[in-house]
Amino acid sequence: MQTFSIRPFEPPVDAAALRKEVRAFLSKHQPKADAASRANSWAVADADFTKALAKAGYVGMIWPRKYGGGARHPLERYIVLEELLAAGAPVGMHWIADRQGGPLLLRYGTEGQRAEFLPRMAAGELYTCIGMSEPGSGSDLASVRTRGRRTPEGWRISGQKVWTTNAHNAHYMIALVRTGEDSQRQEGLTQFLIDLKAPGVSVRPIIDLVGGHDFNEVFLDDVLVPDSLRVGDDGAGWKQVTAELSLERSGPERYLSSLSLLLEFIRISGPSPASAAAALIGQLTAELWTLRQMSRSTAAKLASGEDPALDAAIVKDLGNSFEQALPRLVQAASDVDLAADSDFARALAFLLQVSPSFSLRGGTREILRGIIARGLGLR
């Protein structure tokens, strides 16, 4: 039976110095925002902030220099991400390109794709989204029905994607498409870069409970995609996607989305909190610290070239449970008017409404627990 083992997090640099450097950048460039705006900050898009971040070398920072990257160590990047998310910086515009789009092209893309896309991603000028989930199949990627048909001009792609984060800002969608005729489940899947301005592409917003716009539906109606935008081999999509998902599921964004509320709760509780508040702060801090160790361990395994898919699924499932439970626990332990004009009330009201969606991102709880069960030999 495979179990979760902890790998030491040992960045090759002075972590304290790097954190100080990032905090200096944030003090100069981070837009002023209240606690509600700082919550779930990796879904908040700000093109100006992304360009400033890129200019400072914090986008594409582990990519080779010839593609505009910084050639730094993956654990240095992890430290930078922790600082950005803990501060609630608006990193949503470039988040997916930096986390998944660029690494996917480095691993499976052609030299032409790397030369064309990576420098613009690293400059904070080109954004991507991920087209995986579909109506009727949700996060079960083996049920993808969007189809690609090879023609003399390229590929003709038709279908629908849903819950596509940031598609309304992105230039390209990295889409998982079924190209194998009569293929079933994991077979016959291929990844493509789809220009979201191409004829036949429609992006429609999904507005959430608080009026926010993170998710979208993307309709593909006989969209012509040149073969030069196919990523990897025809039919190799399943292997590529599952490797990519480990990057998506295990980062600090999986336990820091509700951090601004915890910080506000600590602030209003003061230096001598009531016993119930003190107990809850202790409980949440212990859980947060444990999740951090698990996430950092998974990052260390990824940095060493492993693909810790089971570890990543556990981090995401537990991290989402923590992020979703935190607002309810804080509400139960505080006597707050959610309509009050305070940072604490606004952050709590916001997260009570949006946190149920956190488990949709990167694979639903049911999918993750299936992966975990297989890893533990239970199915």
Side-chain angles (χ1 to χ4, degrees):
M1 178 185 296
Q2 185 180 353
T3 58
F4 197 108
S5 60
I6 293 293
R7 179 75 54 83
F9 183 87
E10 298 173 331
V13 296
D14 182 339
L18 179 55
R19 293 185 189 281
K20 184 177 179 181
E21 175 190 310
V22 179
R23 290 174 190 181
F25 168 86
L26 288 169
S27 69
K28 183 176 181 181
H29 295 281
Q30 184 177 0
K32 299 294 182 188
D34 64 16
S37 300
R38 294 196 301 275
N40 196 28
S41 72
W42 62 284
V44 179
D46 183 323
D48 291 337
F49 181 78
T50 281
K51 287 182 181 177
L53 199 65
K55 189 174 180 180
Y58 297 138
V59 179
M61 61 185 292
I62 65 173
W63 305 348
R65 293 188 188 282
K66 68 177 182 176
Y67 301 126
R72 300 180 73 168
H73 194 276
L75 299 188
E76 291 182 83
R77 176 176 177 271
Y78 188 98
I79 291 169
V80 171
L81 296 186
E82 266 196 327
E83 290 296 322
L84 294 173
L85 296 176
V91 294
M93 191 65 87
H94 65 277
W95 188 262
I96 294 172
D98 185 51
R99 184 183 65 183
Q100 287 165 271
L104 176 74
L105 294 183
L106 283 169
R107 189 168 183 180
Y108 299 109
T110 65
E111 187 56 33
Q113 290 169 348
R114 294 173 190 146
E116 179 179 353
F117 292 103
L118 293 179
R120 287 191 286 159
M121 289 181 182
E125 297 172 351
L126 189 149
Y127 321 126
T128 59
C129 60
I130 300 292
M132 293 188 188
S133 296
E134 298 188 357
S137 60
S139 298
D140 179 10
L141 301 182
S143 299
V144 160
R145 290 182 295 178
T146 294
R147 290 209 168 263
R149 174 172 53 87
R150 191 191 287 270
T151 72
E153 297 80 25
W155 295 82
R156 290 285 180 179
I157 296 178
S158 295
Q160 180 184 352
K161 299 294 180 179
V162 71
W163 308 118
T164 311
T165 303
N166 207 37
H168 54 302
N169 291 315
H171 301 95
Y172 285 83
M173 176 171 70
I174 301 170
L176 185 65
V177 176
R178 189 167 296 284
T179 55
E181 191 170 348
D182 300 324
S183 63
Q184 299 293 321
R185 302 296 292 171
Q186 295 95 338
E187 299 174 350
L189 296 169
T190 304
Q191 286 185 292
F192 292 90
L193 285 157
I194 297 180
D195 183 347
L196 293 176
K197 298 296 184 187
V201 178
S202 301
V203 179
R204 299 180 188 173
I206 298 174
I207 305 300
D208 62 29
L209 282 172
V210 295
H213 179 194
D214 300 332
F215 297 123
N216 300 271
E217 294 177 290
V218 181
F219 297 86
L220 306 168
D221 183 10
D222 201 31
V223 179
L224 177 60
V225 178
D227 192 56
S228 61
L229 293 184
R230 172 171 50 85
V231 182
D233 294 333
D234 182 10
W238 180 261
K239 176 185 175 184
Q240 295 173 195
V241 163
T242 50
E244 173 191 336
L245 284 172
S246 293
L247 298 172
E248 182 179 0
R249 289 174 172 163
S250 60
E253 67 269 32
R254 296 305 175 192
Y255 60 90
L256 290 175
S257 297
S258 299
L259 179 67
S260 69
L261 176 61
L262 176 57
L263 297 178
E264 278 299 302
F265 183 55
I266 293 171
R267 183 185 65 78
I268 67 161
S269 297
S272 301
S275 58
L280 181 57
I281 290 170
Q283 172 193 329
L284 294 174
T285 302
E287 291 180 16
L288 181 69
W289 194 255
T290 302
L291 284 165
R292 183 172 187 248
Q293 301 315 308
M294 296 173 74
S295 173
R296 283 156 55 104
S297 168
T298 307
K301 292 176 183 176
L302 285 165
S304 68
E306 297 178 35
D307 179 19
L310 173 62
D311 302 44
I314 293 173
V315 169
K316 182 181 182 302
D317 187 41
L318 294 178
N320 283 160
S321 296
F322 172 78
E323 292 182 326
Q324 291 177 332
L326 193 152
R328 298 194 301 273
L329 292 170
V330 168
Q331 183 186 29
S334 59
D335 182 18
V336 60
D337 176 1
L338 292 177
D341 183 21
S342 70
D343 258 15
F344 175 61
R346 283 192 292 271
L348 178 55
F350 173 75
L351 285 168
L352 283 170
Q353 293 176 88
V354 304
S355 60
S357 72
F358 292 172
S359 53
L360 291 175
R361 308 180 294 202
T364 60
R365 183 163 283 122
E366 291 77 10
I367 293 295
L368 294 170
R369 292 183 178 177
I371 294 171
I372 295 167
R374 279 196 296 275
L376 297 176
L378 300 177
R379 58 178 295 195

PDB file of all heavy atoms in Angstrom, residues 67-98:
ATOM      1  N   TYR A  67      14.017  31.066 -23.013  1.00  0.00           N
ATOM      2  CA  TYR A  67      12.581  31.268 -23.235  1.00  0.00           C
ATOM      3  C   TYR A  67      12.024  32.406 -22.368  1.00  0.00           C
ATOM      4  O   TYR A  67      10.811  32.520 -22.188  1.00  0.00           O
ATOM      5  CB  TYR A  67      11.812  29.988 -22.925  1.00  0.00           C
ATOM      6  CG  TYR A  67      12.239  28.798 -23.752  1.00  0.00           C
ATOM      7  CD1 TYR A  67      12.610  27.606 -23.138  1.00  0.00           C
ATOM      8  CD2 TYR A  67      12.271  28.858 -25.146  1.00  0.00           C
ATOM      9  CE1 TYR A  67      13.004  26.503 -23.873  1.00  0.00           C
ATOM     10  CE2 TYR A  67      12.678  27.757 -25.894  1.00  0.00           C
ATOM     11  CZ  TYR A  67      13.041  26.590 -25.250  1.00  0.00           C
ATOM     12  OH  TYR A  67      13.435  25.496 -25.993  1.00  0.00           O
ATOM     13  N   GLY A  68      12.896  33.216 -21.833  1.00  0.00           N
ATOM     14  CA  GLY A  68      12.444  34.346 -21.022  1.00  0.00           C
ATOM     15  C   GLY A  68      12.324  34.041 -19.547  1.00  0.00           C
ATOM     16  O   GLY A  68      11.886  34.904 -18.771  1.00  0.00           O
ATOM     17  N   GLY A  69      12.654  32.825 -19.134  1.00  0.00           N
ATOM     18  CA  GLY A  69      12.527  32.445 -17.738  1.00  0.00           C
ATOM     19  C   GLY A  69      13.727  32.868 -16.914  1.00  0.00           C
ATOM     20  O   GLY A  69      14.662  33.499 -17.412  1.00  0.00           O
ATOM     21  N   GLY A  70      13.691  32.498 -15.636  1.00  0.00           N
ATOM     22  CA  GLY A  70      14.739  32.901 -14.718  1.00  0.00           C
ATOM     23  C   GLY A  70      15.681  31.785 -14.325  1.00  0.00           C
ATOM     24  O   GLY A  70      16.645  32.016 -13.602  1.00  0.00           O
ATOM     25  N   ALA A  71      15.412  30.557 -14.795  1.00  0.00           N
ATOM     26  CA  ALA A  71      16.273  29.392 -14.519  1.00  0.00           C
ATOM     27  C   ALA A  71      16.500  29.204 -13.021  1.00  0.00           C
ATOM     28  O   ALA A  71      17.589  28.825 -12.607  1.00  0.00           O
ATOM     29  CB  ALA A  71      17.605  29.525 -15.267  1.00  0.00           C
ATOM     30  N   ARG A  72      15.477  29.461 -12.225  1.00  0.00           N
ATOM     31  CA  ARG A  72      15.635  29.302 -10.781  1.00  0.00           C
ATOM     32  C   ARG A  72      15.070  27.956 -10.338  1.00  0.00           C
ATOM     33  O   ARG A  72      14.444  27.232 -11.106  1.00  0.00           O
ATOM     34  CB  ARG A  72      14.968  30.475 -10.057  1.00  0.00           C
ATOM     35  CG  ARG A  72      15.604  31.796 -10.466  1.00  0.00           C
ATOM     36  CD  ARG A  72      14.992  32.980  -9.791  1.00  0.00           C
ATOM     37  NE  ARG A  72      15.372  33.073  -8.384  1.00  0.00           N
ATOM     38  CZ  ARG A  72      15.144  34.156  -7.642  1.00  0.00           C
ATOM     39  NH1 ARG A  72      14.550  35.208  -8.175  1.00  0.00           N
ATOM     40  NH2 ARG A  72      15.504  34.180  -6.368  1.00  0.00           N
ATOM     41  N   HIS A  73      15.283  27.610  -9.098  1.00  0.00           N
ATOM     42  CA  HIS A  73      14.881  26.296  -8.584  1.00  0.00           C
ATOM     43  C   HIS A  73      13.377  26.287  -8.294  1.00  0.00           C
ATOM     44  O   HIS A  73      12.825  27.308  -7.834  1.00  0.00           O
ATOM     45  CB  HIS A  73      15.660  25.993  -7.308  1.00  0.00           C
ATOM     46  CG  HIS A  73      15.583  24.574  -6.875  1.00  0.00           C
ATOM     47  ND1 HIS A  73      14.533  24.087  -6.126  1.00  0.00           N
ATOM     48  CD2 HIS A  73      16.406  23.518  -7.102  1.00  0.00           C
ATOM     49  CE1 HIS A  73      14.720  22.803  -5.897  1.00  0.00           C
ATOM     50  NE2 HIS A  73      15.863  22.421  -6.471  1.00  0.00           N
ATOM     51  N   PRO A  74      12.692  25.137  -8.518  1.00  0.00           N
ATOM     52  CA  PRO A  74      11.247  25.076  -8.248  1.00  0.00           C
ATOM     53  C   PRO A  74      10.868  25.439  -6.812  1.00  0.00           C
ATOM     54  O   PRO A  74       9.794  25.993  -6.575  1.00  0.00           O
ATOM     55  CB  PRO A  74      10.896  23.613  -8.560  1.00  0.00           C
ATOM     56  CG  PRO A  74      11.917  23.179  -9.550  1.00  0.00           C
ATOM     57  CD  PRO A  74      13.179  23.906  -9.168  1.00  0.00           C
ATOM     58  N   LEU A  75      11.728  25.138  -5.843  1.00  0.00           N
ATOM     59  CA  LEU A  75      11.377  25.464  -4.462  1.00  0.00           C
ATOM     60  C   LEU A  75      11.525  26.958  -4.178  1.00  0.00           C
ATOM     61  O   LEU A  75      10.888  27.476  -3.258  1.00  0.00           O
ATOM     62  CB  LEU A  75      12.211  24.628  -3.492  1.00  0.00           C
ATOM     63  CG  LEU A  75      12.012  23.108  -3.630  1.00  0.00           C
ATOM     64  CD1 LEU A  75      12.726  22.371  -2.507  1.00  0.00           C
ATOM     65  CD2 LEU A  75      10.536  22.720  -3.674  1.00  0.00           C
ATOM     66  N   GLU A  76      12.344  27.657  -4.961  1.00  0.00           N
ATOM     67  CA  GLU A  76      12.356  29.125  -4.872  1.00  0.00           C
ATOM     68  C   GLU A  76      10.994  29.668  -5.336  1.00  0.00           C
ATOM     69  O   GLU A  76      10.439  30.599  -4.750  1.00  0.00           O
ATOM     70  CB  GLU A  76      13.460  29.712  -5.745  1.00  0.00           C
ATOM     71  CG  GLU A  76      14.873  29.446  -5.260  1.00  0.00           C
ATOM     72  CD  GLU A  76      15.889  30.106  -6.172  1.00  0.00           C
ATOM     73  OE1 GLU A  76      16.146  31.300  -6.011  1.00  0.00           O
ATOM     74  OE2 GLU A  76      16.423  29.405  -7.071  1.00  0.00           O
ATOM     75  N   ARG A  77      10.499  29.091  -6.418  1.00  0.00           N
ATOM     76  CA  ARG A  77       9.179  29.517  -6.909  1.00  0.00           C
ATOM     77  C   ARG A  77       8.104  29.255  -5.855  1.00  0.00           C
ATOM     78  O   ARG A  77       7.211  30.076  -5.655  1.00  0.00           O
ATOM     79  CB  ARG A  77       8.834  28.791  -8.211  1.00  0.00           C
ATOM     80  CG  ARG A  77       7.445  29.114  -8.737  1.00  0.00           C
ATOM     81  CD  ARG A  77       7.170  28.445 -10.085  1.00  0.00           C
ATOM     82  NE  ARG A  77       5.814  28.731 -10.521  1.00  0.00           N
ATOM     83  CZ  ARG A  77       4.763  27.976 -10.205  1.00  0.00           C
ATOM     84  NH1 ARG A  77       4.930  26.881  -9.491  1.00  0.00           N
ATOM     85  NH2 ARG A  77       3.550  28.311 -10.620  1.00  0.00           N
ATOM     86  N   TYR A  78       8.185  28.112  -5.176  1.00  0.00           N
ATOM     87  CA  TYR A  78       7.194  27.795  -4.146  1.00  0.00           C
ATOM     88  C   TYR A  78       7.197  28.874  -3.058  1.00  0.00           C
ATOM     89  O   TYR A  78       6.139  29.323  -2.604  1.00  0.00           O
ATOM     90  CB  TYR A  78       7.495  26.419  -3.540  1.00  0.00           C
ATOM     91  CG  TYR A  78       6.409  25.925  -2.609  1.00  0.00           C
ATOM     92  CD1 TYR A  78       5.439  25.037  -3.059  1.00  0.00           C
ATOM     93  CD2 TYR A  78       6.330  26.372  -1.288  1.00  0.00           C
ATOM     94  CE1 TYR A  78       4.431  24.600  -2.213  1.00  0.00           C
ATOM     95  CE2 TYR A  78       5.328  25.940  -0.447  1.00  0.00           C
ATOM     96  CZ  TYR A  78       4.380  25.045  -0.916  1.00  0.00           C
ATOM     97  OH  TYR A  78       3.378  24.626  -0.077  1.00  0.00           O
ATOM     98  N   ILE A  79       8.376  29.284  -2.660  1.00  0.00           N
ATOM     99  CA  ILE A  79       8.482  30.328  -1.625  1.00  0.00           C
ATOM    100  C   ILE A  79       7.826  31.619  -2.096  1.00  0.00           C
ATOM    101  O   ILE A  79       7.082  32.274  -1.354  1.00  0.00           O
ATOM    102  CB  ILE A  79       9.970  30.564  -1.275  1.00  0.00           C
ATOM    103  CG1 ILE A  79      10.531  29.345  -0.547  1.00  0.00           C
ATOM    104  CG2 ILE A  79      10.139  31.831  -0.440  1.00  0.00           C
ATOM    105  CD1 ILE A  79      12.041  29.357  -0.402  1.00  0.00           C
ATOM    106  N   VAL A  80       8.081  31.991  -3.352  1.00  0.00           N
ATOM    107  CA  VAL A  80       7.490  33.213  -3.905  1.00  0.00           C
ATOM    108  C   VAL A  80       5.962  33.099  -3.914  1.00  0.00           C
ATOM    109  O   VAL A  80       5.252  34.037  -3.542  1.00  0.00           O
ATOM    110  CB  VAL A  80       8.038  33.485  -5.320  1.00  0.00           C
ATOM    111  CG1 VAL A  80       7.275  34.627  -5.989  1.00  0.00           C
ATOM    112  CG2 VAL A  80       9.525  33.813  -5.254  1.00  0.00           C
ATOM    113  N   LEU A  81       5.456  31.938  -4.327  1.00  0.00           N
ATOM    114  CA  LEU A  81       3.998  31.751  -4.363  1.00  0.00           C
ATOM    115  C   LEU A  81       3.395  31.856  -2.966  1.00  0.00           C
ATOM    116  O   LEU A  81       2.336  32.467  -2.784  1.00  0.00           O
ATOM    117  CB  LEU A  81       3.649  30.389  -4.972  1.00  0.00           C
ATOM    118  CG  LEU A  81       4.030  30.162  -6.429  1.00  0.00           C
ATOM    119  CD1 LEU A  81       3.476  28.824  -6.908  1.00  0.00           C
ATOM    120  CD2 LEU A  81       3.529  31.287  -7.320  1.00  0.00           C
ATOM    121  N   GLU A  82       4.053  31.266  -2.002  1.00  0.00           N
ATOM    122  CA  GLU A  82       3.542  31.365  -0.625  1.00  0.00           C
ATOM    123  C   GLU A  82       3.416  32.818  -0.200  1.00  0.00           C
ATOM    124  O   GLU A  82       2.405  33.224   0.392  1.00  0.00           O
ATOM    125  CB  GLU A  82       4.495  30.644   0.333  1.00  0.00           C
ATOM    126  CG  GLU A  82       4.147  29.212   0.624  1.00  0.00           C
ATOM    127  CD  GLU A  82       4.890  28.709   1.851  1.00  0.00           C
ATOM    128  OE1 GLU A  82       6.040  29.141   2.110  1.00  0.00           O
ATOM    129  OE2 GLU A  82       4.325  27.875   2.564  1.00  0.00           O
ATOM    130  N   GLU A  83       4.437  33.595  -0.487  1.00  0.00           N
ATOM    131  CA  GLU A  83       4.422  35.005  -0.087  1.00  0.00           C
ATOM    132  C   GLU A  83       3.314  35.766  -0.808  1.00  0.00           C
ATOM    133  O   GLU A  83       2.610  36.584  -0.209  1.00  0.00           O
ATOM    134  CB  GLU A  83       5.795  35.641  -0.369  1.00  0.00           C
ATOM    135  CG  GLU A  83       6.897  35.150   0.541  1.00  0.00           C
ATOM    136  CD  GLU A  83       6.642  35.528   2.002  1.00  0.00           C
ATOM    137  OE1 GLU A  83       6.140  36.624   2.257  1.00  0.00           O
ATOM    138  OE2 GLU A  83       6.954  34.697   2.886  1.00  0.00           O
ATOM    139  N   LEU A  84       3.173  35.525  -2.094  1.00  0.00           N
ATOM    140  CA  LEU A  84       2.153  36.229  -2.874  1.00  0.00           C
ATOM    141  C   LEU A  84       0.747  35.886  -2.372  1.00  0.00           C
ATOM    142  O   LEU A  84      -0.108  36.768  -2.204  1.00  0.00           O
ATOM    143  CB  LEU A  84       2.284  35.878  -4.355  1.00  0.00           C
ATOM    144  CG  LEU A  84       3.564  36.345  -5.055  1.00  0.00           C
ATOM    145  CD1 LEU A  84       3.616  35.776  -6.484  1.00  0.00           C
ATOM    146  CD2 LEU A  84       3.647  37.866  -5.113  1.00  0.00           C
ATOM    147  N   LEU A  85       0.496  34.598  -2.133  1.00  0.00           N
ATOM    148  CA  LEU A  85      -0.842  34.180  -1.717  1.00  0.00           C
ATOM    149  C   LEU A  85      -1.134  34.584  -0.267  1.00  0.00           C
ATOM    150  O   LEU A  85      -2.259  34.981   0.057  1.00  0.00           O
ATOM    151  CB  LEU A  85      -0.997  32.669  -1.890  1.00  0.00           C
ATOM    152  CG  LEU A  85      -0.916  32.168  -3.336  1.00  0.00           C
ATOM    153  CD1 LEU A  85      -0.981  30.638  -3.379  1.00  0.00           C
ATOM    154  CD2 LEU A  85      -2.033  32.748  -4.194  1.00  0.00           C
ATOM    155  N   ALA A  86      -0.141  34.497   0.587  1.00  0.00           N
ATOM    156  CA  ALA A  86      -0.353  34.892   1.983  1.00  0.00           C
ATOM    157  C   ALA A  86      -0.683  36.385   2.067  1.00  0.00           C
ATOM    158  O   ALA A  86      -1.446  36.816   2.934  1.00  0.00           O
ATOM    159  CB  ALA A  86       0.878  34.572   2.809  1.00  0.00           C
ATOM    160  N   ALA A  87      -0.124  37.166   1.138  1.00  0.00           N
ATOM    161  CA  ALA A  87      -0.400  38.606   1.125  1.00  0.00           C
ATOM    162  C   ALA A  87      -1.700  38.926   0.391  1.00  0.00           C
ATOM    163  O   ALA A  87      -2.165  40.066   0.427  1.00  0.00           O
ATOM    164  CB  ALA A  87       0.756  39.346   0.460  1.00  0.00           C
ATOM    165  N   GLY A  88      -2.282  37.933  -0.298  1.00  0.00           N
ATOM    166  CA  GLY A  88      -3.508  38.168  -1.055  1.00  0.00           C
ATOM    167  C   GLY A  88      -3.271  38.949  -2.331  1.00  0.00           C
ATOM    168  O   GLY A  88      -4.138  39.706  -2.788  1.00  0.00           O
ATOM    169  N   ALA A  89      -2.118  38.770  -2.957  1.00  0.00           N
ATOM    170  CA  ALA A  89      -1.799  39.493  -4.199  1.00  0.00           C
ATOM    171  C   ALA A  89      -2.653  38.971  -5.360  1.00  0.00           C
ATOM    172  O   ALA A  89      -2.947  37.778  -5.438  1.00  0.00           O
ATOM    173  CB  ALA A  89      -0.319  39.326  -4.525  1.00  0.00           C
ATOM    174  N   PRO A  90      -3.057  39.849  -6.284  1.00  0.00           N
ATOM    175  CA  PRO A  90      -3.930  39.443  -7.399  1.00  0.00           C
ATOM    176  C   PRO A  90      -3.145  38.784  -8.533  1.00  0.00           C
ATOM    177  O   PRO A  90      -2.713  39.426  -9.477  1.00  0.00           O
ATOM    178  CB  PRO A  90      -4.521  40.782  -7.856  1.00  0.00           C
ATOM    179  CG  PRO A  90      -3.449  41.781  -7.550  1.00  0.00           C
ATOM    180  CD  PRO A  90      -2.762  41.299  -6.301  1.00  0.00           C
ATOM    181  N   VAL A  91      -2.990  37.467  -8.454  1.00  0.00           N
ATOM    182  CA  VAL A  91      -2.121  36.753  -9.382  1.00  0.00           C
ATOM    183  C   VAL A  91      -2.894  35.933 -10.414  1.00  0.00           C
ATOM    184  O   VAL A  91      -2.313  35.131 -11.147  1.00  0.00           O
ATOM    185  CB  VAL A  91      -1.157  35.829  -8.609  1.00  0.00           C
ATOM    186  CG1 VAL A  91      -0.193  36.653  -7.763  1.00  0.00           C
ATOM    187  CG2 VAL A  91      -1.933  34.853  -7.711  1.00  0.00           C
ATOM    188  N   GLY A  92      -4.210  36.121 -10.487  1.00  0.00           N
ATOM    189  CA  GLY A  92      -5.038  35.261 -11.332  1.00  0.00           C
ATOM    190  C   GLY A  92      -4.801  35.396 -12.822  1.00  0.00           C
ATOM    191  O   GLY A  92      -5.052  34.436 -13.568  1.00  0.00           O
ATOM    192  N   MET A  93      -4.320  36.537 -13.276  1.00  0.00           N
ATOM    193  CA  MET A  93      -4.194  36.722 -14.711  1.00  0.00           C
ATOM    194  C   MET A  93      -3.201  35.734 -15.341  1.00  0.00           C
ATOM    195  O   MET A  93      -3.460  35.140 -16.380  1.00  0.00           O
ATOM    196  CB  MET A  93      -3.779  38.170 -15.007  1.00  0.00           C
ATOM    197  CG  MET A  93      -3.870  38.547 -16.473  1.00  0.00           C
ATOM    198  SD  MET A  93      -5.580  38.509 -17.083  1.00  0.00           S
ATOM    199  CE  MET A  93      -6.126  40.165 -16.667  1.00  0.00           C
ATOM    200  N   HIS A  94      -2.064  35.554 -14.702  1.00  0.00           N
ATOM    201  CA  HIS A  94      -1.011  34.710 -15.285  1.00  0.00           C
ATOM    202  C   HIS A  94      -0.924  33.335 -14.620  1.00  0.00           C
ATOM    203  O   HIS A  94      -0.077  32.528 -15.005  1.00  0.00           O
ATOM    204  CB  HIS A  94       0.340  35.399 -15.118  1.00  0.00           C
ATOM    205  CG  HIS A  94       0.743  35.538 -13.675  1.00  0.00           C
ATOM    206  ND1 HIS A  94       0.295  36.554 -12.872  1.00  0.00           N
ATOM    207  CD2 HIS A  94       1.509  34.746 -12.878  1.00  0.00           C
ATOM    208  CE1 HIS A  94       0.786  36.408 -11.649  1.00  0.00           C
ATOM    209  NE2 HIS A  94       1.514  35.313 -11.624  1.00  0.00           N
ATOM    210  N   TRP A  95      -1.759  33.084 -13.632  1.00  0.00           N
ATOM    211  CA  TRP A  95      -1.575  31.926 -12.754  1.00  0.00           C
ATOM    212  C   TRP A  95      -1.482  30.607 -13.525  1.00  0.00           C
ATOM    213  O   TRP A  95      -0.569  29.801 -13.314  1.00  0.00           O
ATOM    214  CB  TRP A  95      -2.718  31.871 -11.747  1.00  0.00           C
ATOM    215  CG  TRP A  95      -2.542  30.833 -10.684  1.00  0.00           C
ATOM    216  CD1 TRP A  95      -3.083  29.579 -10.633  1.00  0.00           C
ATOM    217  CD2 TRP A  95      -1.723  30.962  -9.512  1.00  0.00           C
ATOM    218  NE1 TRP A  95      -2.676  28.925  -9.503  1.00  0.00           N
ATOM    219  CE2 TRP A  95      -1.845  29.744  -8.799  1.00  0.00           C
ATOM    220  CE3 TRP A  95      -0.908  31.970  -9.002  1.00  0.00           C
ATOM    221  CZ2 TRP A  95      -1.174  29.518  -7.604  1.00  0.00           C
ATOM    222  CZ3 TRP A  95      -0.247  31.743  -7.807  1.00  0.00           C
ATOM    223  CH2 TRP A  95      -0.382  30.532  -7.125  1.00  0.00           C
ATOM    224  N   ILE A  96      -2.426  30.384 -14.428  1.00  0.00           N
ATOM    225  CA  ILE A  96      -2.462  29.076 -15.109  1.00  0.00           C
ATOM    226  C   ILE A  96      -1.333  28.950 -16.125  1.00  0.00           C
ATOM    227  O   ILE A  96      -0.740  27.879 -16.288  1.00  0.00           O
ATOM    228  CB  ILE A  96      -3.842  28.865 -15.740  1.00  0.00           C
ATOM    229  CG1 ILE A  96      -4.899  28.745 -14.631  1.00  0.00           C
ATOM    230  CG2 ILE A  96      -3.862  27.624 -16.627  1.00  0.00           C
ATOM    231  CD1 ILE A  96      -6.327  28.726 -15.121  1.00  0.00           C
ATOM    232  N   ALA A  97      -0.994  30.037 -16.810  1.00  0.00           N
ATOM    233  CA  ALA A  97       0.132  29.982 -17.751  1.00  0.00           C
ATOM    234  C   ALA A  97       1.426  29.650 -17.016  1.00  0.00           C
ATOM    235  O   ALA A  97       2.248  28.854 -17.483  1.00  0.00           O
ATOM    236  CB  ALA A  97       0.254  31.310 -18.490  1.00  0.00           C
ATOM    237  N   ASP A  98       1.598  30.262 -15.844  1.00  0.00           N
ATOM    238  CA  ASP A  98       2.822  30.060 -15.072  1.00  0.00           C
ATOM    239  C   ASP A  98       2.863  28.673 -14.445  1.00  0.00           C
ATOM    240  O   ASP A  98       3.891  28.009 -14.444  1.00  0.00           O
ATOM    241  CB  ASP A  98       2.898  31.148 -13.989  1.00  0.00           C
ATOM    242  CG  ASP A  98       4.203  31.100 -13.213  1.00  0.00           C
ATOM    243  OD1 ASP A  98       5.267  31.075 -13.849  1.00  0.00           O
ATOM    244  OD2 ASP A  98       4.145  31.095 -11.972  1.00  0.00           O
TER     245      ASP A  98
END
